[in-house]
Amino acid sequence: MIPPGNATVTDTTSIIALPAAPLHALEIWSNPVAVGARIQKGLGFAPPPLNRSTGNTATTLLRYEPTVWLVEGDVSVLADTLGDDGGLTGIGGGIVRFRIAGPGWRELLLEGGVFDTSAAAFPAGATAATVIDHVGVRLHAESEDACVAYVPASYAEGLHHFWEEALPLLGA
């Protein structure tokens, strides 16, 4: 596994393995309108639409599938809010988060990637589920200058190495 804080920097584009964080998969099985209203009441914000994120200082919801969100942070309100209409599963131990930041982050994700990383197609706040170098990853454009990649722990070291090797090729 990549130690937290391990970074590669080339031309001010960096890849940093972030420290472990509480991560959960949130699934809504039934009554999505009612559950969404309960989530909004409990968290103070509505679940985001598909391929978007939203949150506050304690909790971020990242939506990748029609009925599945990745939740980063405090989930204490969500467990009771879901009732029998959904489930919340801890997945933090199986995921490594990387922050890719700097002017070349979009171009780096194109190496071995299969989606449009342009600012128009993948703006700040957007999410995407895709494959990069044969690895299923979840991406969150956290700002215009940075993206967080959620990578299965079993592939984290290999994908980090793949990105490190691709960095010198940016803009070539």
Side-chain angles (χ1 to χ4, degrees):
M1 181 186 274
I2 307 300
N6 186 18
T8 301
V9 180
T10 301
D11 295 330
T12 67
T13 296
S14 63
I15 306 165
I16 300 170
L18 299 173
L23 295 173
H24 292 76
L26 166 68
E27 297 178 74
I28 296 178
W29 305 321
S30 59
N31 301 316
V33 173
V35 174
R38 293 193 309 256
I39 289 173
Q40 183 168 1
K41 183 178 180 184
L43 291 177
F45 59 87
L50 192 57
N51 297 320
R52 298 299 296 168
S53 64
T54 191
N56 58 28
T57 57
T59 308
T60 301
L61 297 179
L62 306 130
R63 190 170 182 185
Y64 296 103
E65 299 176 39
T67 60
V68 180
W69 292 257
L70 177 66
V71 183
E72 188 169 329
D74 184 11
V75 295
S76 58
V77 170
L78 292 174
D80 293 334
T81 300
L82 290 173
D84 292 332
D85 295 318
L88 195 59
T89 306
I91 61 169
I95 304 292
V96 175
R97 301 173 313 134
F98 290 97
R99 177 171 290 114
I100 303 171
W105 75 265
R106 292 178 187 281
E107 188 176 359
L108 181 62
L109 292 178
L110 289 174
E111 291 293 325
V114 292
F115 78 106
D116 185 353
T117 63
S118 69
F122 193 53
T127 63
T130 191
V131 175
I132 297 177
D133 194 38
H134 309 289
V135 178
V137 298
R138 303 293 188 257
L139 300 170
H140 174 225
E142 68 176 3
S143 72
E144 290 302 320
D145 299 319
C147 179
V148 175
Y150 299 84
V151 178
S154 57
Y155 293 104
E157 188 171 338
L159 192 54
H160 187 227
H161 178 74
F162 173 80
W163 282 327
E164 285 181 336
E165 288 187 334
L167 275 176
L169 304 174
L170 297 181

